[in-house]
């Protein structure tokens, strides 16, 4: 057997194995010590046979492909986790936006029922908001803004409209139910279209005009059957719509150059501070000092309760507006508008349950039609007019 193996290794006519350069004399005794082993023969065979080379190269490519695909999966997984985290943060912000808005309306209404001084309450809310802003700047929770004189002059009319909008909203909440105030405030798109047409020259599309019909019709229907309806509360809410939408239009028309523009949160902070310094002297002139312990005690009010609810209403007021600007930085204006519509629905429903507001079927239908029109408006705003 050994001789046959030796002969096979030394033959030059073997069709399957190459001739080895070095020969080792093999015999039965020396075979175990031979440097030529079964492994070396197999290796020599595989290194020469083209079929084996093909399989080895194919396996190597498969390994490389697996490694490369594994490397590509890492960034994809990280991107998926990042998107999931962003979605969770956005959902949390929307939830806080709605929650703070609900509690603001509840606490605000409770204070206005016992202290019907909307001017004083507006000044208190602006004062609390200003204090919160200075604290966040002092603690470096938000960077201290570097504002030019031109920017301040451009922001001044925005602050004036912001102040007027908050004042008239409080006036309306003091006169009518929370649900009815927000039903009237659903007419904001109507004022946006009118003011944008007058001052910006933006001609609304047919679909935008169509969406305004259910908004106006729904508010009219709800007003006809509203139990708490009165004209001062109605016109205060309408004035709030006019002021708030004027602020939005002015922000497009009067803001400074784009390269000098401020981020939304900083802009809101400066508007709040300017509103406080503008409005406080007016509040003292109109209503005097009606928030001192002596005055509240003389009016027979629970001082601690009024102070706590006023403070909570002010914090919620500032928080929900700040969060609204934070959301606006993360989503499109259309998405923000839809979210605002849903927020109004949530506030109306929550206030009806909390205050046990009586509401008729016709009133609820009118409110529903108005809110549906607001949602339709937010959708048709995406339709671009065809250019010739």
């Amino acid at each position: 057997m050994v001789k046959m193996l030796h002969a096979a290794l030394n033959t030059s006519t073997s069709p399957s194995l190459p001739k080895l350069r070095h020969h080792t004399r093999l015999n039965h005794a020396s075979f175990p010590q031979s440097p030529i082993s079964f492994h070396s023969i197999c290796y020599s065979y595989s290194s020469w046979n083209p079929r084996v080379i093909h399989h080895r190269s194919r396996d190597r490519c498969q390994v490389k492909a697996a490694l490369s695909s594994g490397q590509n999966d890492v960034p994809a997984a990280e991107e998926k986790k990042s998107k999931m985290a962003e979605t969770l943060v956005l959902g949390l912000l929307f939830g806080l936006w709605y929650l703070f808005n609900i509690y603001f309306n509840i606490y605000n209404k409770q204070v206005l029922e016992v202290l019907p001084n909307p001017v004083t309450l507006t000044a208190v809310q602006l004062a609390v908001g200003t204090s919160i802003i200075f604290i966040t700047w002092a603690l470096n929770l938000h960077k201290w803004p570097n504002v030019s004189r031109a920017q301040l002059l451009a922001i001044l009319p925005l602050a004036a409209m912001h102040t007027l909008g908050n004042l008239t909203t409080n006036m309306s909440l003091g006169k009518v139910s929370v649900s009815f105030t927000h039903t009237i405030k659903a007419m904001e798109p109507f004022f946006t279209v009118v003011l944008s047409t007058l001052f910006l020259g933006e001609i609304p599309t047919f679909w935008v005009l169509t969406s305004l019909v259910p908004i106006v019709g729904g508010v009219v229907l709800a007003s006809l059957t509203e139990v708490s309806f009165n004209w001062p509360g109605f016109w205060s809410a309408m004035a709030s719509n006019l002021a708030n939408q004027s602020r939005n239009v002015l922000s497009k028309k009067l803001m400074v150059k784009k390269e000098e523009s401020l981020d939304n949160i900083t802009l809101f902070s400066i508007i709040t501070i300017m509103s406080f310094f503008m409005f406080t002297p007016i509040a003292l002139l109109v209503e005097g000092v009606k928030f001192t312990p002596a005055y509240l005690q003389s009016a027979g009010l629970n001082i601690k309760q009024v102070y706590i609810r006023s403070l909570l209403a002010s914090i919620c007021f500032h928080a929900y507006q700040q969060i609204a600007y934070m959301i606006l930085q993360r989503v499109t204006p259309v998405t923000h508008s839809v979210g605002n519509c849903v927020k109004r629905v949530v506030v109306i429903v929550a206030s009806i349950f909390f205050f046990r507001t009586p509401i008729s079927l016709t009133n609820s239908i009118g409110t529903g039609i108005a809110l549906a029109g607001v949602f339709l408006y937010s959708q048709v705003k995406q339709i671009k007019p065809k250019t010739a």
Side-chain angles (χ1 to χ4, degrees), residues 156-175:
L156 183 61
L158 307 183
M161 291 297 103
H162 176 76
T163 305
L164 184 60
N166 294 333
L167 172 62
T168 50
T169 297
N170 285 334
M171 292 173 64
S172 179
L173 288 172
K175 296 293 183 180

Side-chain angles (χ1 to χ4, degrees), residues 80-245:
K80 187 176 180 180
K81 289 181 180 179
S82 177
K83 289 183 178 179
M84 187 178 297
E86 290 178 2
T87 303
L88 291 174
V89 170
L90 187 60
L92 178 63
L93 288 175
F94 269 100
L96 291 174
W97 187 22
Y98 296 170
L99 187 66
F100 282 125
N101 207 294
I102 291 171
Y103 277 104
F104 161 70
N105 284 277
I106 290 175
Y107 290 129
N108 207 31
K109 181 65 175 178
Q110 288 177 333
V111 174
L112 287 168
E113 286 178 342
V114 298
L115 185 68
N117 299 105
V119 177
T120 298
L121 192 59
T122 301
V124 170
Q125 291 167 358
L126 292 173
V128 172
T130 300
S131 301
I132 293 174
I133 292 168
F134 279 120
I135 290 173
T136 57
W137 287 350
L139 298 177
N140 289 324
L141 298 178
H142 196 273
K143 63 179 181 180
W144 194 279
N146 185 15
V147 188
S148 65
R149 183 177 180 180
Q151 287 175 319
L152 292 176
L153 291 175
I155 295 172
L156 183 61
L158 307 183
M161 291 297 103
H162 176 76
T163 305
L164 184 60
N166 294 333
L167 172 62
T168 50
T169 297
N170 285 334
M171 292 173 64
S172 179
L173 288 172
K175 296 293 183 180
V176 296
S177 65
V178 174
S179 59
F180 185 55
T181 296
H182 283 274
T183 300
I184 301 172
K185 286 175 71 65
M187 284 191 66
E188 285 181 349
F190 173 82
F191 288 91
T192 299
V193 172
V194 173
L195 293 172
S196 297
T197 303
L198 292 176
F199 296 102
L200 301 180
E202 297 179 356
I203 306 301
T205 64
F206 170 78
W207 296 111
V208 169
L209 292 175
T210 303
S211 68
L212 298 179
V213 175
I215 296 176
V216 177
V219 170
V220 171
L221 186 61
S223 301
L224 292 175
T225 55
E226 172 61 34
V227 177
S228 65
F229 179 87
N230 60 69
W231 286 110
F234 176 83
W235 288 117
S236 295
M238 294 292 281
S240 173
N241 288 334
L242 180 61
N244 289 330
Q245 299 316 304

